[in-house]
Amino acid sequence: MQGCNLREINVTQQDTGSAAVNYDSIETPSQFSDFCEAIADEPVIGFDTEFVSEDCYRPELCLLQVAAGKHLAVIDPYTVGDTKPFWDILTDDTVEPGKRVVIAHAAREEIRFAYRFAGRPIAGLFDTQLAAGFVGIEYPASLATLVQKLVGQTLPKGETRTNWRHRPLTKDQLTYALHDVTTLAQMHTKLIADVKALDRVAWLDEETDRLQQKVIDAEESENWQRVSGSSGLKPRQLEIIRHLWRWREEIARSKDRLPRRVMRDDLMVELAKRGSPDVKKIRNIRGMERRGYNDQYEEIGDAIAAALDVPDEQLPRRNRGRSRSASPMLSQFLSTSIACISRQQKLAPAIVGNSDDVKELLSYELDPRRGTPTPSLLKGWRGDIVGTAFRKILRGELAIRVADTSEQQPLEFVECEGSPQREESEPDSGNA
């Protein structure tokens, strides 16, 4: 590409040790436009991001690293400006399925950036961390762990907590950043072969779609229910929390600050309990007398007053849970059995489910109620391998025995001879 700054780094390689590799430093809008045009038709695009999130409303994109065919580049968002053309390439859903793969590792934040800048999920996403869990490798595995296991390389260390906002970036920072993408294509080749050998491409696609939708839902939803300390509040108090949460989000967004640095959760809960829009009463709450609130008392009072005007029938209400709770021993037993199922299926246990998923399934099975959402362990591929087994355990048709004491997971499931078969109708375990 014309006009790009061609530079060189040393990249560790499996057979030849350290080798010099050229990369493009994309620093201007014109360079960026040329680069996007150059990679637009590449069938394999590996990428990673560096960002800062601890002191701003949303993670701040500080660097983009891309490996696509013969193109290896670092992109500086600060000097390039609008990075939307790159995200438009990654989210282009008009590309025929299977014609392009976009590779990233632990891609939650990358999904968020794509949705923020392009408004769509990543098309053809292959998350190496997710794929590793479907072939029995540790999950969630770090990039360094997977690179070592799959490619036999050791990634450079020392820049994990680096200040990615600082310019100019050092050679060590750039080397660290580029190492995050130089092995993605190799890892994809090995992982996709194993996924296909186990006939789990559909499972991986399903879980990738689920991950992307979960990230997008989190971006779009109002998360006022997660305010710490609000679980025992009454409906009217919850409405105050909701209004204060909205006010806090708007202030945080406008000032690019973490919401909890605008107002702590415990102060929101105390305001909700007091339930008064009176400025004097608000100011008298310990912690609310800080100078930073001097210009906000009226807005806080207005938010509370608006919550007090909401009709009773529109007030939020917490789910009270189920009247019947499962035996803690049964819950613990089934949680342990996930590892057993995973071992038999060559799956990483953490990708299958956790104790909360087990409790959700038990509540659903032992106290079924109309309108209750189908638990995750009964949907999709999890329903096929976990839901079916758990239901057999609850019916006494499946048992666990010690198979090999020398194994890390020494247990296995066996069918019980002469187990009673019930002619009960069961909730749908498909993709509900």
Side-chain angles (χ1 to χ4, degrees), residues 93-318:
D93 56 9
T94 64
V95 176
E96 185 180 343
K99 293 297 184 180
R100 173 186 290 154
V101 58
V102 178
I103 315 166
H105 178 82
R108 182 175 296 273
E109 289 302 329
E110 284 68 31
I111 294 167
R112 289 181 67 183
F113 283 128
Y115 186 69
R116 184 194 307 179
F117 294 119
R120 299 187 301 270
I122 299 173
L125 175 63
F126 185 93
D127 188 323
T128 55
Q129 186 182 74
L130 206 57
F134 279 100
V135 297
I137 300 176
E138 164 192 348
Y139 178 87
S142 69
L143 179 62
T145 296
L146 283 188
V147 169
Q148 180 64 49
K149 188 179 293 288
L150 297 173
V151 186
Q153 295 182 16
T154 301
L155 293 183
K157 301 178 181 179
E159 301 295 334
T160 305
R161 298 294 296 175
T162 195
N163 181 4
W164 292 107
R165 287 176 172 143
H166 181 72
R167 294 297 186 271
L169 294 171
T170 67
K171 185 175 182 179
D172 286 343
Q173 286 176 309
L174 292 170
T175 299
Y176 174 91
L178 284 167
H179 267 86
D180 286 351
V181 296
T182 54
T183 58
L184 289 177
Q186 291 172 270
M187 290 197 296
H188 167 261
T189 299
K190 295 190 175 185
L191 286 169
I192 194 61
D194 290 342
V195 171
K196 288 179 178 179
L198 292 169
D199 195 21
R200 289 178 181 169
V201 173
W203 291 10
L204 178 58
D205 289 344
E206 177 187 327
E207 199 64 17
T208 302
D209 290 344
R210 182 173 181 257
L211 170 63
Q212 296 213 73
Q213 192 58 53
K214 187 176 181 179
V215 172
I216 292 172
D217 288 345
E219 285 289 287
E220 293 294 321
S221 64
E222 292 189 337
N223 293 319
W224 59 268
Q225 300 96 329
R226 298 178 63 181
V227 171
S228 178
S230 66
S231 59
L233 297 182
K234 299 175 182 178
R236 181 66 62 182
Q237 294 169 334
L238 289 175
E239 186 65 31
I240 294 175
I241 290 290
R242 175 155 58 184
H243 277 72
L244 289 174
W245 182 90
R246 290 171 176 169
W247 166 81
R248 186 175 72 171
E249 286 291 301
E250 183 58 35
I251 296 295
R253 185 183 296 110
S254 65
K255 295 186 176 182
D256 194 22
R257 297 177 60 188
L258 289 173
R260 291 183 183 182
R261 291 189 179 179
V262 174
M263 179 179 284
R264 303 194 314 262
D265 283 6
D266 63 302
L267 289 178
M268 292 175 65
V269 171
E270 187 60 31
L271 286 165
K273 289 179 177 178
R274 300 288 180 96
S276 173
D278 186 274
V279 170
K280 291 182 179 179
K281 293 182 178 179
I282 292 172
R283 185 185 287 113
N284 287 335
I285 295 175
R286 185 160 55 90
M288 290 299 301
E289 75 283 357
R290 289 193 304 129
R291 183 180 304 173
Y293 292 122
N294 285 346
D295 298 330
Q296 299 171 335
Y297 291 126
E298 293 291 343
E299 292 181 3
I300 295 170
D302 290 344
I304 295 173
L308 296 175
D309 288 339
V310 173
D312 289 348
E313 62 271 16
Q314 296 179 19
L315 296 178
R317 284 173 171 77
R318 296 283 189 187

